[in-house]
Structures are given as structure tokens and as C-alpha cells.
Amino acid sequence: MTAQQQVSRRGGREARRTIRTAPKIDMLPTLKRGLPVVEPMDAEQVERIHEASLAILEDVGVVFRDPIAIEDWKRVGADVRADDRVHLDRGLVMELIKTIPSRIEYFARDPAKNVELGGPKSIFVPMTGAPYMRDLDDVRRGPTIADLGTFHKLAHMMPALHSSAHHIVEPMDIVVAHRHLHITYSSMKHSDKIFMGMTTSPKNAEDVLDMCEILFGEGFLESHAVTTGNCNGNSPLVWDQVMLGAMRAFCRRNQPVLCSPFVLGGANTPASTAAAVAQLNAEALSALAYTQVIRKGCPAIYGHYLSTVSMQSGAPMAGTPEISLMNFMIGQMARRYNVPWRTSNLLGGAKVFDAQAGYESAMTMMAVLMSGANYIWHSAGWNEAGMHCSIAKFVVDAEVCAMGYRMTQGIQWDDFDEALAAVRDVGPGGHYLGHPHTQANFERAFFIPKLFDNNSIEQWYADGSKDIKQRALEHARRLLAEYEEPTLDIAKDEELRAYIERRSREIPAVDALNEEY
């Protein structure tokens, strides 16, 4: 072989390798589950949880710390005692729950990225709410609005992530009162996937929905889901005015809201897995029912945040066996009520991207996938119990979601006969590497991770002995260098910017939530 032929061959190999390793940013469609779900409770036990939850609603009651909600409940005949404690008749609750849609179709800025939710259909959504980040140099620090844009860009380029979320990290360089405006604009500007809407106050929620109206057009929200609000309960058995006001804003505009009790098992629930689920179920049912008091037929999602508490330190824990069991149980309860449900994915308490982070996240994700969750939140970046979002972990988590996506689709049978024919062609003692079926199917037959190293140790040394964190950060830099912003209509962009400018003038620039303006 001549020197020129050797150069050509090396060049050809390098070109093919470049093509194979080039980022593929086409978003995966809605995940349609092809595996059976894990259901540890039999029918009698499901009913036992159900009856216990209804007894809590009737006998103990739920506090709604909001005068509007109290009047709403009185209007539909609920038993209100001690000013704000609502005792809910089981017949009323179940009648309200029946009107929640069992399926939701979300509409993205790019129609090719519309997704569906409910039944066997699920989506992956990145983490949100981190007050710190670990950046491209793996330095833990406070984030800025530019850093938030970086995460939105990465979410846009990750095939298995179906959403750009909202405040993946908190932009600390923007005053709190104006922060929701800039977070929403970043979600819209840097990605054309669906996104979440801020619910940090009722007024903030209204601003977000006004911006959605600008982006999608007047009247579009009335019949199309484009964003998701999250309303956390104060376990045990309390819903506060801020969350309820934000819930009303979303429901009145016919946008889905997550009704999410915030469980710290053993601290704000009984120190019992089954009893904790009974309480959580009661809390979720009370909020789901209230969405239908606000607007009958509006979409709503059975939500929760699950953690158990260390009895040694009081700190929340992730990846524990009880969290997995609770996910399985909650999935059964949500299916009993025929409503979509949300869970949290790839959680961990590690302070760095290490083995603990990987093990905790993997434990959580396997249970999430096998529980049949629909809105799979916190699917990329979560570490340190949510206190920071790691760029390295973000991109690795997104690839792990792609692996989970592939597994949960189930067994593919479309090429079964062709593959069996290859057995006859190859025969005993042969190999399949050069067979036409292998050449045609190797890329889709077995998932090939880009960020995990499966080479020999000699090759690993030759490539620089890089660990997963180093490879992930290099991959993130490459993605950001190749990022192309999805074009936003110029007129809509100008209108959004004008809205932000106007609302920034109207809302006092203080480090407090906008509750009045």
C-alpha cells in the first residue's frame, strides 16, 4: 500500500468516525412504553390505599390557605371548618376527578416536536430549580442568565429530552421580581421544544401565560397545551395561597398543572411507606379535584416529589428502596384514577459527579421507567439533592435517558425473520460482523453510548485516560460550539422583548416575588 493510499484510508476512517460521532439533535418522539409496569400492590391493596386516602380527606381534612379557594370549595358544597380546613366528601372528590383528561397533547414551537402524555406515553424533562451549578470547568458557583441559556441550548440538542424546562438553574444576576420574565424568554428563545411555566406567584404565572399567548397566538392556549405549571403542596395536608393562585392562573387558561405533594418520608409523612403513599394520595387528590372546581375538564397531572429523610442527619436521601416502592405504588394509584402522573428522575445527593451520583440516579431511573410514569421530570443534571445542576451530569443523564427510552420501548420484532436467515447464512463457527444484516442493522440493533468508554485499557490510555466527567465536559463544549439557535419569528421576538421591558417597568425591581403588580 502506498503512502497516499494509507493517508486516504486514514482520512476515510476519520471521516466515517466524524459522521458517526457527530451530534444528532433530532428529538426522539414521545416514548411509548412497550414493557409491562411493575405493580407490587394487588387490587385489594390498591383499594386499601384509596379508602385510606378518602378517609383522610373526609375525617382529617386539608388546609387551603387561600380565601378564594375556600369560597370555591363552599360553592361546590365542601365542608369548610375552622376557616381554612376543607373536609372533602369522597363522592364529590371522585366526581371531580372523572373530568380530568386522561391524555394531553403538547404543542411545541416546532410542530415536529409536539409530544403526548398519558397512558403508555411519556416524556423526559430536565431538572429545574438549582441555586448553584457546576460549570464547564466543573466549578461550583452561582448561575447567571447566560448559564441558564447554556442549559436551554444543551436541552435543545439532547435527543431524549422533550422539553427545555424553565429555571434549570436560578439566574442570580436577575432580580427575583423580574426573574420569571427572563427565564421564560430563555426557554422560548434557545429551544423550540415545549417548556415549563413559572408558578412562583399568581402574577408571575399570568405573565408567563401572556408570553405564551404572544408566542403561539391569541386564543391558541384555549384549546392547546403549550406549557406546564408545577404547584407544590406543603405536606402534611396543606396547600398555600401562592401555589393555589398560580394553579388558578394555569387552569383558567386551560394549561396543565402538576399537583405535587412534597414528600420527605419520615419528616412530613408517617415513617411508613404505605401510610406515606396514603397521605400523599390524599393530598394529590385534593389538588386534582380543585383544578376541576376552577375549570371543569382542564388538564391536570398527578404529581409528587419523593424523598426519604436520614434519621441520622435529617437530610433528604435519593435512590433509596422505599422511593422506588412509592413510585410503583403511585403509578398504580394514578392509573386507578385514569390521570397522567409525574415523577422525578435521576436524583442524587452526591456533591460531585461520582459513583454515588451514578448509583443513586440509576436506582431512581429504573424504578421510574418500570412504574409507568408519564411526565418524567428532573431527568438531567440533578445532584447534591437538587442544590446544583452539573453540566457534566446533565449531558450524561440525557444519554442515559436515551438508553432508558430504548429499553422501555421493548423488544423490536420487525427484522426477526431477516436476522434468523443470517443464522443459516453464517452457520456454526462463523461470525456476523460482515453479514449484510449486521451491516444494515448494527446501529439500531444495540444502543452504542457516546460518553461511556468500552474500549480496551490500552486504547483508553492512548486516548488520554479520560474519565466520564472529562468526556462529558468535552462533549458539552462541542455541542455548544455547534449549537444553532432555532429561528424565532422576528415580530414575535420583538413583542416578547417589549412585554418584558413593560413588565419590568411595572414590577418594582426588588428581591422578592411579584405578588401585587
Side-chain angles (χ1 to χ4, degrees):
M1 182 182 296
T2 66
Q4 181 62 43
Q5 287 174 321
Q6 290 176 336
V7 170
S8 297
R9 169 169 282 191
R10 284 197 299 269
R13 286 175 176 168
E14 187 61 33
R16 289 192 295 273
R17 181 180 180 184
T18 300
I19 292 170
R20 286 197 305 271
T21 59
K24 294 180 181 179
I25 63 170
D26 290 340
M27 191 185 85
L28 293 170
T30 303
L31 169 60
K32 185 175 181 180
R33 189 174 62 251
L35 292 179
V37 293
V38 172
E39 296 193 328
M41 295 189 292
D42 61 28
E44 181 180 346
Q45 290 165 333
V46 169
E47 290 308 303
R48 189 175 182 185
I49 295 291
H50 171 67
E51 291 296 324
S53 299
L54 295 181
I56 290 170
L57 293 177
E58 288 182 332
D59 302 337
V60 181
V62 178
V63 169
F64 284 77
R65 289 184 180 150
D66 176 64
I68 297 175
I70 292 300
E71 291 305 312
D72 286 340
W73 279 121
K74 288 179 179 178
R75 174 170 50 82
V76 297
D79 178 11
V80 179
R81 306 178 199 170
D83 296 330
D84 60 4
R85 186 179 293 200
V86 181
H87 294 255
L88 293 170
D89 174 78
R90 63 186 60 207
L92 173 62
V93 170
M94 296 312 297
E95 194 63 31
L96 290 167
I97 294 293
K98 287 179 184 177
T99 61
I100 297 174
S102 60
R103 304 286 190 276
I104 302 171
E105 182 178 7
Y106 280 98
F107 292 81
R109 180 153 71 86
D110 176 1
K113 295 171 183 171
N114 293 353
V115 292
E116 298 176 68
L117 198 72
K121 296 184 177 180
S122 306
I123 62 173
F124 291 109
V125 181
M127 78 159 292
T128 66
Y132 296 95
M133 66 177 290
R134 281 192 175 272
D135 61 20
L136 287 165
D137 296 313
D138 199 37
V139 174
R140 186 183 185 275
R141 59 175 175 81
T144 65
I145 190 65
D147 294 318
L148 177 60
T150 292
F151 281 108
H152 284 154
K153 292 173 184 177
L154 290 172
H156 175 70
M157 299 183 78
M158 296 296 173
L161 297 183
H162 298 99
S163 171
S164 66
H166 48 29
H167 65 316
I168 296 173
V169 292
E170 284 282 350
M172 299 299 188
D173 54 337
I174 306 291
V175 295
V176 172
H178 298 171
R179 200 172 283 177
H180 65 290
L181 301 168
H182 297 272
I183 290 168
T184 304
Y185 181 73
S186 181
S187 302
M188 295 174 168
K189 178 74 169 174
H190 294 119
S191 176
D192 54 14
K193 297 180 180 181
I194 64 168
F195 52 88
M196 298 186 74
M198 300 294 291
T199 54
T200 40
S201 80
K203 294 291 186 183
N204 288 356
E206 290 171 7
D207 285 343
V208 168
L209 295 166
D210 286 346
M211 292 176 72
C212 289
E213 192 91 3
I214 292 170
L215 183 65
F216 289 96
E218 185 177 354
F220 192 82
L221 274 63
E222 183 63 22
S223 55
H224 299 81
V226 303
T227 189
T228 309
N230 178 59
C231 295
N232 282 323
N234 296 333
S235 299
L237 300 167
V238 175
W239 292 93
D240 67 39
Q241 188 170 14
V242 170
M243 291 288 94
L244 293 169
M247 183 183 293
R248 284 192 292 272
F250 272 76
C251 292
R252 286 169 180 163
R253 302 286 275 274
N254 209 32
Q255 296 303 297
V257 64
L258 307 171
C259 301
S260 303
F262 198 94
V263 168
L264 300 170
N268 62 8
T269 73
S272 158
T273 299
V277 170
Q279 178 191 299
L280 179 156
N281 191 55
E283 293 166 336
L285 287 175
S286 68
L288 288 166
Y290 183 57
T291 66
Q292 304 307 293
V293 174
I294 300 165
R295 176 170 175 160
K296 186 177 181 179
C298 70
I301 299 170
Y302 184 135
H304 66 75
Y305 173 80
L306 293 179
S307 180
T308 52
V309 172
S310 168
M311 295 301 157
Q312 294 176 322
S313 67
M317 299 185 293
T320 62
E322 292 74 22
I323 294 173
S324 295
L325 291 171
M326 283 191 269
N327 266 312
F328 297 144
M329 295 170 72
I330 292 163
Q332 289 187 260
M333 300 314 299
R335 286 188 289 277
R336 189 210 182 282
Y337 306 124
N338 197 29
V339 294
W341 70 286
R342 160 251 160 146
T343 191
S344 300
N345 192 22
L346 288 165
L347 303 184
K351 311 309 175 283
V352 295
F353 185 24
D354 59 6
Q356 178 184 336
Y359 285 130
E360 287 177 332
S361 295
M363 282 287 292
T364 304
M365 183 179 195
M366 188 57 67
V368 162
L369 293 177
M370 300 312 294
S371 66
N374 303 117
Y375 195 96
I376 306 177
W377 195 7
H378 301 314
S379 285
W382 181 287
N383 223 10
E384 197 188 334
M387 288 298 291
H388 83 251
C389 183
S390 159
I391 287 183
K393 190 170 187 290
F394 192 94
V395 296
V396 174
D397 284 351
E399 181 164 270
V400 172
C401 286
M403 297 172 70
Y405 181 105
R406 173 64 193 89
M407 182 193 76
T408 313
Q409 283 182 305
I411 301 165
Q412 296 178 347
W413 292 91
D414 57 315
D415 67 336
F416 182 65
D417 292 334
E418 295 174 46
L420 280 181
V423 177
R424 299 180 183 275
D425 293 342
V426 172
H431 71 78
Y432 293 82
L433 296 176
H435 192 276
H437 178 268
T438 304
Q439 296 297 308
N441 290 278
F442 77 94
E443 287 188 294
R444 77 181 189 101
F446 306 110
F447 189 96
I448 304 173
K450 289 186 173 64
L451 297 176
F452 296 165
D453 186 281
N454 293 292
N455 293 322
S456 67
I457 193 166
E458 292 81 10
Q459 185 63 51
W460 182 69
Y461 285 139
D463 289 339
S465 308
K466 297 172 185 175
D467 63 15
I468 184 66
K469 182 171 67 178
Q470 290 174 283
R471 292 193 301 276
L473 292 174
E474 288 178 4
H475 182 61
R477 289 191 181 94
R478 182 181 175 194
L479 286 172
L480 293 169
E482 298 182 4
Y483 169 80
E484 294 181 6
E485 185 174 289
T487 303
L488 178 59
D489 179 80
I490 294 174
K492 292 183 183 293
D493 192 25
E494 289 176 350
E495 191 174 356
L496 286 167
R497 289 176 180 271
Y499 183 89
I500 292 170
E501 290 175 7
R502 175 173 67 81
R503 292 296 287 139
S504 296
R505 291 193 303 270
E506 295 169 349
I507 304 169
V510 296
D511 280 326
L513 294 177
N514 167 33
E515 305 226 40
E516 299 179 16
Y517 295 89

